[in-house]
Amino acid sequence: QQPVQSPQAVILREGEDAVINCSSSKALYSVHWYRQKHGEAPVFLMILLKGGEQKGHDKISASFNEKKQQSSLYLTASQLSYSGTYFCGTVSISSGSARQLTFGSGTQLTVLP
Amino acid sequence: EAGVAQSPRYKIIEKRQSVAFWCNPISGHATLYWYQQILGQGPKLLIQFQNNGVVDDSQLPKDRFSAERLKGVDSTLKIQPAKLEDSAVYLCASLTDRAYEQYFGPGTRLTVT
């Protein structure tokens, strides 16, 4: 069963902040975040492992609440280049492979000047 | 290093015809994935290879889809015969045994008319 992402879409102005959420009904081993620009391949942003720390990459960071099986992606002071569709991919503890992702349906982020 | 290569980039066929996609992963990447991404949705795993062996093909519609990875390097995905609902972008991704980041190719956009 695929994780649920919210919101489905968000529009914000350059410099504003955004939060994207990812929720699973299964106990998770890891959560992966990817960004896909229109017509391009998904690009890896970061991974959060069970028992790991919150990750950060420039002004994009993420957290992983193992008890709630939820992860959130935080985009601070958004730039035009942040526009795209963000996908979370999850690996459940019951999965046979730690490298097999189930992707959510995505959150479309649009940053306006 | 060179990225994941895929060809063709675009393909238009009529239903009941056959089509094949090719993927060349990053050199040294033992794991290779094929995903189907329908417009507006996240990538859905079709098959996962480890070297030239299949790890998981549980979501591959085997009555019409087939995939192989000869010599543990290049891979081909075939659809025979195609249906209208096969219209999607087919993504190939690879990763090493030492990391979790999947590198995606540019994809093949298939339109079945």
Side-chain angles (χ1 to χ4, degrees):
Chain A
Q1 192 169 3
Q2 67 176 165
V4 177
Q5 288 187 234
S6 63
Q8 288 185 324
V10 59
I11 299 174
L12 58 159
R13 295 282 181 184
E14 202 172 4
E16 293 181 339
D17 302 339
V19 180
I20 299 172
N21 300 301
C22 175
S23 179
S24 174
S25 59
K26 297 184 176 183
L28 299 178
Y29 171 74
S30 63
V31 180
H32 306 226
W33 286 96
Y34 285 77
R35 176 171 62 207
Q36 185 177 32
K37 293 183 179 288
H38 183 70
E40 299 181 8
V43 175
F44 175 80
L45 293 177
M46 65 187 74
I47 176 176
L48 297 105
L49 298 171
K50 179 178 170 64
E53 300 175 351
Q54 179 169 337
K55 289 290 187 70
H57 170 63
D58 194 12
K59 294 181 180 177
I60 300 176
S61 62
S63 62
F64 178 21
N65 186 324
E66 298 169 32
K67 291 183 179 179
K68 293 185 177 181
Q69 312 307 326
Q70 294 175 346
S71 178
S72 294
L73 186 72
Y74 307 95
L75 298 98
T76 306
S78 296
Q79 304 170 15
L80 296 176
S81 61
Y82 287 4
S83 291
T85 302
Y86 289 78
F87 293 99
C88 69
T90 57
V91 178
S92 64
I93 291 175
S94 60
S95 170
S97 170
R99 291 179 167 78
Q100 193 174 104
L101 296 177
T102 301
F103 284 95
S105 56
T107 295
Q108 187 171 346
L109 180 80
T110 303
V111 181
L112 301 175
Chain B
E1 62 182 358
V4 177
Q6 289 188 248
S7 67
R9 291 296 311 277
Y10 305 91
K11 191 73 176 180
I12 301 174
I13 62 172
E14 296 182 351
K15 58 183 180 182
R16 291 187 291 273
Q17 286 187 324
S18 301
V19 65
F21 312 127
W22 174 80
C23 171
N24 187 343
I26 293 174
S27 177
H29 282 199
T31 305
L32 184 147
Y33 308 85
W34 282 102
Y35 290 92
Q36 179 192 60
Q37 187 175 25
I38 294 173
L39 186 64
Q41 299 182 19
K44 172 190 170 186
L45 179 68
L46 293 175
I47 189 168
Q48 177 185 351
F49 290 96
Q50 177 76 17
N51 295 308
N52 61 349
V54 175
V55 174
D56 186 350
D57 63 357
S58 59
Q59 299 188 84
L60 187 73
K62 298 181 188 64
D63 58 334
R64 298 184 300 107
F65 286 65
S66 64
E68 61 181 7
R69 190 182 184 195
L70 299 177
K71 300 180 181 179
V73 182
D74 294 8
S75 178
T76 56
L77 177 69
K78 297 179 181 178
I79 306 176
Q80 180 179 8
K83 293 184 175 181
L84 294 177
E85 58 261 36
D86 297 333
S87 294
V89 174
Y90 290 84
L91 294 164
C92 178
S94 70
L95 65 84
T96 72
D97 290 338
R98 299 180 299 278
Y100 293 96
E101 175 182 350
Q102 293 188 23
Y103 292 83
F104 284 82
T108 296
R109 182 176 297 277
L110 174 68
T111 302
V112 182
T113 63

